[in-house]
């Protein structure tokens, strides 16, 4: 049995990112499982589920499961397992992940909290900083606060605040996920970069996956 690549995503408002990334990978013909292990279970609002209780829900070609013990993550026959780990994952859970992404806001206390958590976990990870206000905030100050005495930041990405991205994130919880259409250019660039990093198929394949996901397509 092949071992899936487990991608752990945790922090602040990462559920939409998990769903978009899964849709893009599925449209690159990968077999993808998304697990929501967060406390608030936002993904349950975003993914339509039948009334019957099912262990796995398939939606737009992606399988979704909820509250799965970390011991079972690598026992799945998938190419990718994307785990929404909520706000405070355990070290054992992070140890299962091949790639780890921390999503945080720009608030000083938020950056400080997750810097301390990174130092405690001692796991290398990429950091995505959401809702960055380019005109109002000092990027160097935020990065300095994040990386101070912290060698576990492999790379960081600033995702500027965009009203449409935020409205899509919230609307998804009421209307369900439909597609990746009309996301901001910066969000799409981030998804493209993550797709290239994870899939290692080349940029043309990632662009094709994004194009299909934007139309709400799946295989």
């Amino acid at each position: 049995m092949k071992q899936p690549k487990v991608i752990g995503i945790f922090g602040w408002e990462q559920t939409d990112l998990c769903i978009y990334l899964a849709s893009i990978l599925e449209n690159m013909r990968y077999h993808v499982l998304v697990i929501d292990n967060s406390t608030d279970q936002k993904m349950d609002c975003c993914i339509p589920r039948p009334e019957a209780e099912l262990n796995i829900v398939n939606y737009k070609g992606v399988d979704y499961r909820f509250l799965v013990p970390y011991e079972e993550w690598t026992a799945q026959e998938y190419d990718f397992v994307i785990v929404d780990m909520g706000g405070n994952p355990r070290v054992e859970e992070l140890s299962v992940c091949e790639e780890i992404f921390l999503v945080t806001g720009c608030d000083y206390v938020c950056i400080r909290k997750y810097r301390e958590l990174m130092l405690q976990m001692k796991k290398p990870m990429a950091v995505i900083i959401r809702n960055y206000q380019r005109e109002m905030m000092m990027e160097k100050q935020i990065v300095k606060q994040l990386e101070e005495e912290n060698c576990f930041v492999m790379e960081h990405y600033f995702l500027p605040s965009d009203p449409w991205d935020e409205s899509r994130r919230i609307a998804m919880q009421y209307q369900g996920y439909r597609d990746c259409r009309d996301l901001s250019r910066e969000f799409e660039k981030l998804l493209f970069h993550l797709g290239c990093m994870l899939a290692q198929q080349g940029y043309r394949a990632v662009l094709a996956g994004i194009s299909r996901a934007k139309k709400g397509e799946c295989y």
Side-chain angles (χ1 to χ4, degrees), residues 111-119 145-146 148 150:
I111 295 289
R112 183 174 62 186
K113 168 189 172 181
Y114 282 117
R115 178 172 62 84
E116 294 302 319
L117 183 63
M118 292 178 72
L119 292 171
Q145 174 67 16
L146 175 68
E148 185 177 2
N150 180 9

Side-chain angles (χ1 to χ4, degrees), residues 15-219:
T15 302
D16 58 337
L17 178 63
C18 294
I19 294 172
Y20 293 146
L21 187 57
S23 180
I24 292 166
L25 291 171
E26 193 281 335
N27 276 292
M28 295 173 67
R29 297 186 181 273
Y30 288 111
H31 193 198
V32 183
L33 170 66
V34 178
I35 298 173
D36 187 353
N37 269 24
S38 66
T39 302
D40 51 23
Q41 293 282 283
K42 284 185 181 177
M43 206 165 299
D44 191 33
C45 308
C46 302
I47 303 303
R49 300 175 68 177
E51 293 184 5
E53 288 294 326
L54 300 176
N55 187 40
I56 299 177
V57 176
N58 183 276
Y59 182 66
K60 288 186 177 290
V62 176
D63 285 344
Y64 291 87
R65 294 186 64 186
F66 301 84
L67 300 176
V68 179
Y70 73 91
E71 296 91 345
E72 299 180 19
W73 296 353
T74 55
Q76 313 295 324
E77 294 192 20
Y78 293 89
D79 298 304
F80 292 96
V81 174
I82 300 174
V83 186
D84 183 340
M85 307 171 79
N88 294 284
R90 293 180 293 162
V91 176
E92 312 91 85
E93 295 175 330
L94 292 175
S95 299
V96 179
C97 301
E98 189 170 335
E99 299 283 352
I100 304 171
F101 298 98
L102 162 64
V103 183
T104 178
C106 294
D107 299 64
Y108 180 88
V109 292
C110 197
I111 295 289
R112 183 174 62 186
K113 168 189 172 181
Y114 282 117
R115 178 172 62 84
E116 294 302 319
L117 183 63
M118 292 178 72
L119 292 171
Q120 177 186 344
M121 297 295 188
K122 294 181 169 57
K123 297 289 182 184
M125 59 189 74
V127 180
I128 299 167
I129 303 166
R130 295 193 75 157
N131 280 0
Y132 174 67
Q133 300 282 350
R134 185 178 283 114
E135 296 81 9
M136 303 293 293
M137 298 177 183
M138 299 294 290
E139 181 175 325
K140 290 182 179 179
Q141 290 180 343
I142 295 173
V143 173
K144 180 180 178 181
Q145 174 67 16
L146 175 68
E147 296 184 347
E148 185 177 2
E149 298 180 358
N150 180 9
C151 63
F152 299 104
V153 180
M154 295 297 98
E155 51 187 333
H156 64 267
Y157 314 95
F158 277 94
L159 186 57
S161 177
D162 184 272
W164 185 247
D165 290 345
E166 279 298 288
S167 66
R168 297 274 292 184
R169 181 182 70 80
I170 295 171
M172 190 191 304
Q173 299 171 31
Y174 290 89
Q175 302 168 1
Y177 168 68
R178 297 177 181 177
D179 52 53
C180 297
R181 192 189 315 272
D182 297 329
L183 292 176
S184 68
R185 183 183 178 190
E186 293 298 327
F187 205 153
E188 191 170 317
K189 283 170 59 178
L190 172 64
L191 292 169
F192 171 74
H193 181 78
L194 297 183
C196 290
M197 178 196 305
L198 297 172
Q200 299 180 343
Q201 272 197 41
Y203 73 92
R204 292 184 183 276
V206 180
L207 287 174
I210 291 175
S211 177
R212 287 179 55 86
K214 288 169 70 173
K215 299 173 186 175
E217 296 179 347
C218 63
Y219 285 109

